[in-house]
Amino acid sequence: MSDPGQELDLRLVHHFTVVAAHRHFGRAAADLHVAQPALSRQIQRLEKQLGARLLDRTPQGARLTPAGQEFLPWAEALLRAARQASLAVREKAGAARLTVGYVEDLVITDAVRELRRRYPEAEIVTRYLDCHDVVALTEHRIDALIARSPLPLAEDEVTTVPLYEEPRMLVVPREHPLAGRASVSAEELAGQEALPCAFETEDWTSYRILRSGVPPLESAFESPVETYEDKLELVASGRAIGVLPVGDRRSSLRPDLVSVPLEGAPPSQVVLASRKDDANPMIDALRLAAETALAAPAS
């Protein structure tokens, strides 16, 4: 059974205290700048959450029931505590600073906007990083990092919190035999040799470029392919096929590439990383904002 206290909407609690103060729904609605029927529905919602009737209508207006009389001082104390908590956090955030790094294809605008809405006095800065520069976190050039796991950072130095997961897709040239498929299974790609990449730490990496079997291979794989654009060029030229998270839309900017859903591959995980010794409270605030604002894009 859920805890009713965890379900209370502070806005409804506030509206209840206003009705209780006026002892009249009409005057309370005017004070709150809401329609009277809407206010009545809100009070009914609160009563449903609490499992008790709080107000009775009378010819003169409204009066508190015994349950309402019991709840009123608790409601007022709850609202006072919420205001005090908000003021304390905002005061703390007045001097708060946070630099957020994000990697390549990820878009964190909604999370940062939500964080700024919650902490308008805080100084929040974003930094774009390529996959080779995530060491900016351990080098103290950023305070938090939103990226795809696995990260090339020592586990004893950083803490990672999962935000969401995305399925994978296969990226191939438009004329490739797999381009017209409804989907491709991971088993069909087994045994393909992966190109060197920054995240070669697991069987399935955050980004994976596979050899296509189309010659000439030697010239394509003489040295590590460093940039994302070079990797896409290899795919477009028919010398490689790519496995990417579905949220990475950069390949869709090229008309010569198509994506195919990939079944049976482990998902790509987007995480929030921070230094283990960092007690900055804005990091946890970022996590909460990111969990609220970010979600896996539709495949």
Side-chain angles (χ1 to χ4, degrees), residues 250-282:
R250 291 174 294 174
S251 62
S252 65
L253 299 177
R254 295 193 57 142
D256 51 355
L257 297 177
V258 297
S259 61
V260 182
L262 180 60
E263 299 179 353
S268 173
Q269 188 175 72
V270 176
V271 300
L272 170 65
S274 59
R275 294 183 297 276
K276 284 192 173 181
D277 60 351
D278 196 336
N280 187 342
M282 291 297 294

Side-chain angles (χ1 to χ4, degrees), residues 8 10 13 16-17 50 66-82:
L8 287 181
L10 290 181
V13 175
F16 162 72
T17 62
L50 292 171
Q69 293 174 353
E70 176 69 22
F71 181 60
L72 181 58
W74 290 98
E76 292 171 338
L78 181 62
L79 293 172
R80 282 196 303 271

Side-chain angles (χ1 to χ4, degrees), residues 99-109 112 125-131 133-134 136 142 144-148 270-271 294:
T99 301
V100 185
Y102 63 101
V103 174
E104 296 191 337
D105 68 296
L106 297 178
V107 178
I108 64 169
T109 305
V112 174
V125 178
T126 59
R127 292 283 184 267
Y128 169 82
L129 306 170
D130 64 35
C131 66
D133 199 29
V134 294
I142 60 174
L145 170 68
I146 296 179
R148 298 184 187 276
V270 176
V271 300
L294 300 183

Side-chain angles (χ1 to χ4, degrees), residues 171-180 235-236 252 254-259:
V171 177
V172 294
R174 188 167 293 278
E175 66 278 5
H176 194 279
L178 297 176
V235 174
S252 65
R254 295 193 57 142
D256 51 355
L257 297 177
V258 297
S259 61

Side-chain angles (χ1 to χ4, degrees), residues 53-74:
R53 189 170 183 82
L54 301 176
L55 291 158
D56 285 330
R57 291 183 180 271
T58 69
Q60 293 74 33
R63 68 184 176 195
L64 291 168
T65 66
Q69 293 174 353
E70 176 69 22
F71 181 60
L72 181 58
W74 290 98

Side-chain angles (χ1 to χ4, degrees), residues 205-284:
T205 54
S206 293
Y207 294 91
R208 202 172 187 223
I209 303 295
L210 303 173
R211 295 191 181 191
S212 67
V214 178
L217 290 176
E218 292 74 11
S219 61
F221 298 94
E222 289 176 352
S223 60
V225 181
E226 297 293 341
T227 70
Y228 183 86
E229 290 73 18
D230 286 340
K231 293 174 183 179
L232 286 188
E233 184 60 32
L234 279 177
V235 174
S237 68
R239 293 179 289 172
I241 54 179
V243 175
L244 283 71
V246 297
D248 188 337
R249 304 299 187 187
R250 291 174 294 174
S251 62
S252 65
L253 299 177
R254 295 193 57 142
D256 51 355
L257 297 177
V258 297
S259 61
V260 182
L262 180 60
E263 299 179 353
S268 173
Q269 188 175 72
V270 176
V271 300
L272 170 65
S274 59
R275 294 183 297 276
K276 284 192 173 181
D277 60 351
D278 196 336
N280 187 342
M282 291 297 294
I283 295 173
D284 194 52

